[in-house]
Amino acid sequence: MIICTTRFSTALLPHSTLHATLTLVKIGINRFHLAVEKVPLMVFNWLGADRHGISAQAGKIFSSGFRIKKTLTALLLGTVLSSVTAPAVADMQDQLPDMGTTAGGTLSINQEIEMGDFYLRQMRGGAPLIDDPLLIQYINQLGQRLVKSANSVRTPFHFFIIRNDELNAFAFFSGNVVIHSALFRYADNESELASVLAHEISHVTQRHLARAMESQQRSAPLTWVGVLGSILLAMANPQVGMAALSGTLAGAQQGIISFTQANEQEADRIGLQVLQRAGFDPQAMPNFMQKLADQSRYTTKPPEMLLTHPLPESRLADARNRANQMRPAPTQSSQDFLFAKMRALAMYSTAYKATADETIDNWLKGNVREQLAAQYGKAVRAYEAKKYDDARAVLQPLLDKTPDSPWFLDLMTDIDLAQNKTAQAIARLQKAPGAQNNPVLQLNLANAYVMGGQAAAASRLLYRYTYANPGDPNGLSLLAQASAARGMRAEELAARGEELALSGKLDQAIGLFSNASSLSKLGSLEQARYDARIDQLRQLQQRFRQYEKS
């Protein structure tokens, strides 16, 4: 689905006020207020309640001794952190050699979450993130599969893709893992892609960034806040700063934080264990490393990933030796991986368009899965070239055989909308098998409603989407379009304000909410909600000020 330059994914949640209250209660009292702040205002509009009301209900539930099963209570109140979207968390601890500090003296887990929120907003405002619903859904499903097999998981994990033809990946506070789109080009199979994610996940679970910051605080003239500022500057410049970030935003080119070889080898070692437990081939990690090492031997400029993830022979040898001691597990790449690789090559590789055509030619001679992905790639390439009839001719037979494929339905919807066949797109999506439970298809339908002049129907879907995904700017953008089409100016401004807040533009967000408040009836519930959101954003500004000063 393509809506301007944004793409979408979602999930549906029940919408009674009581259920929302209980959901927030389950988050845990220690994280309650932060979680409430992350829920966009239109969610409470939709529920017919305000944040203060939900907070009050939650307090009554706690104070009245609300009966929760003992095991659930222990889990919820014993966990260090949680979020609106439940993370995949393992309950075991890795048995690791003592590498010194656990970073508890510098950063608590709650501080890491707050810092992760701040830096994620800055990244949204300055980096070319890809918000393709299918690719984001795929990379998060793959990432969460690995997280479920990881130990020492203390934070939720979220996975993002930056449009960049240079190979790299990095992770930062609060389980945010980012890969460059070029990784799809370099990864020959799903296990290789998973090996990179497993390495980055391990940097987070072992708290390497927090450890490095604590070491910097003890032994270097740079202050802790100054280190945070350096990281922020790197994130604000995607062309230079992003290239300078290492496995956890600590770049060798920055010269601010340098991970030791022990950190890298620890991430390799733990990552290999995660990779194997998740059902992937452990040989994929040293194989991918070898590929990078071989490439660096025949060029004056090594791959960017080697600049930020140094790969001496000892590290490669150690990874190979450990993988050789594990049980071999040759694994066939999933069909979704092949579709994702083809989509990334055809739509988001600016410097290597020929690679997509070459891959299509090779896969047409491959196995059944590769042949299917090659046909899908041909349809995508035709669509990108605006040869819509050709794209439809290639795609229709595939869709006829697999009418519930979100990859095929998404692309056919784009073709329909490009040819002004909105009624056809809506009818197909409404009757598509499993569409009600598929977030990508639900937002395809919402988009088609907007394009087809059915803004009210779109809004109903988007209220649920922004409720389930308050951190996704794409849903907010589409909700703003639907609200504008309905003449709901205040609601439109609120949606735009939430979108700006997610990209770190809190002053502008407050301005839009102020305008929305002024458009509302004096003393109305709507005005009170907008004013409450303004107060919350100002509190967020206050908490973020320590990072902005750096």
Side-chain angles (χ1 to χ4, degrees), residues 150-187:
N151 300 326
S152 304
V153 177
R154 301 175 179 88
T155 65
F157 272 80
H158 306 281
F159 298 83
F160 304 91
I161 305 172
I162 285 179
R163 186 169 188 168
N164 193 315
D165 288 326
E166 294 293 331
L167 176 63
N168 212 341
F170 59 91
F172 61 100
F173 300 111
S174 191
N176 293 298
V177 177
V178 184
I179 68 169
H180 287 191
S181 55
L183 187 55
F184 284 102
R185 176 167 58 91
Y186 281 88

Side-chain angles (χ1 to χ4, degrees), residues 46 55 94 118 130 141 147 155 159 198 202 241 312 319 330 365 378 392 401 442 445 476 493 523:
W46 175 53
S55 298
D94 287 309
F118 173 76
I130 293 175
Q141 288 175 344
V147 171
T155 65
F159 298 83
S202 299
K365 306 169 188 175
K378 289 173 64 177
R392 187 184 298 275
K401 292 181 180 179
Q442 284 294 291
L445 181 57
L476 296 169
L493 291 173

Side-chain angles (χ1 to χ4, degrees), residues 173-247:
F173 300 111
S174 191
N176 293 298
V177 177
V178 184
I179 68 169
H180 287 191
S181 55
L183 187 55
F184 284 102
R185 176 167 58 91
Y186 281 88
D188 292 329
N189 54 65
E190 192 166 32
S191 288
E192 289 187 353
L193 174 60
S195 74
V196 176
L197 294 182
H199 178 93
E200 301 304 333
I201 289 168
S202 299
H203 272 309
V204 175
T205 60
Q206 302 314 117
R207 302 193 73 191
H208 286 161
L209 179 55
R211 289 180 181 181
M213 289 177 60
E214 185 165 273
S215 176
Q216 193 73 245
Q217 185 185 26
R218 291 197 313 267
S219 61
L222 292 173
T223 65
W224 175 50
V225 174
V227 174
L228 296 181
S230 299
I231 296 172
L232 173 58
L233 290 175
M235 298 183 72
N237 189 337
Q239 297 302 319
V240 178
M242 286 298 179
L245 298 175
S246 77

Side-chain angles (χ1 to χ4, degrees), residues 385-494:
K386 298 184 179 181
K387 298 178 180 179
Y388 303 125
D389 289 334
D390 293 345
R392 187 184 298 275
V394 175
L395 187 62
Q396 190 62 60
L398 306 182
L399 186 57
D400 291 340
K401 292 181 180 179
T402 316
D404 61 344
S405 169
W407 300 91
F408 301 158
L409 285 164
D410 177 276
L411 183 57
M412 188 61 83
T413 299
D414 287 343
I415 295 170
D416 283 338
L417 298 184
Q419 295 185 317
N420 296 316
K421 298 179 179 179
T422 54
Q424 181 172 309
I426 290 171
R428 182 187 299 106
L429 290 166
Q430 286 176 333
K431 67 180 182 181
Q436 291 297 321
N437 299 318
N438 190 297
V440 172
L441 299 185
Q442 284 294 291
L443 275 187
N444 267 272
L445 181 57
N447 184 36
Y449 280 147
V450 171
M451 298 291 288
Q454 300 183 42
S459 292
R460 286 193 292 272
L461 287 180
L462 292 166
Y463 288 148
R464 292 193 292 270
Y465 173 69
T466 54
Y467 174 67
N469 300 273
D472 189 347
N474 298 321
L476 296 169
S477 177
L478 194 56
L479 179 58
Q481 296 178 46
S483 300
R486 296 170 60 206
M488 307 290 289
R489 178 60 175 166
E491 186 176 288
E492 177 195 356
L493 291 173

Side-chain angles (χ1 to χ4, degrees), residues 64-125:
S64 62
F66 187 81
R67 295 184 178 275
I68 304 175
K69 291 182 179 180
K70 291 182 178 180
T71 54
L72 180 60
T73 303
L75 174 63
L76 294 174
L77 300 184
T79 189
V80 180
L81 58 97
S82 52
S83 75
V84 176
T85 302
V89 178
D91 58 2
M92 297 177 61
Q93 298 293 313
D94 287 309
Q95 300 300 316
L96 298 175
D98 183 10
M99 294 183 62
T101 177
T102 59
T106 298
L107 288 178
S108 69
I109 295 297
N110 285 354
Q111 284 176 310
E112 284 198 32
I113 291 177
E114 183 172 281
M115 290 167 60
D117 182 24
F118 173 76
Y119 290 120
L120 178 58
R121 292 173 192 266
Q122 302 306 308
M123 187 177 70
R124 287 189 186 281

Side-chain angles (χ1 to χ4, degrees), residues 24-34 58-59 62 76-77 82:
L24 293 174
V25 169
K26 291 177 183 178
I27 289 171
I29 190 66
N30 290 336
R31 299 299 305 153
F32 176 73
H33 294 294
L34 178 59
F62 275 110
L76 294 174
L77 300 184
S82 52

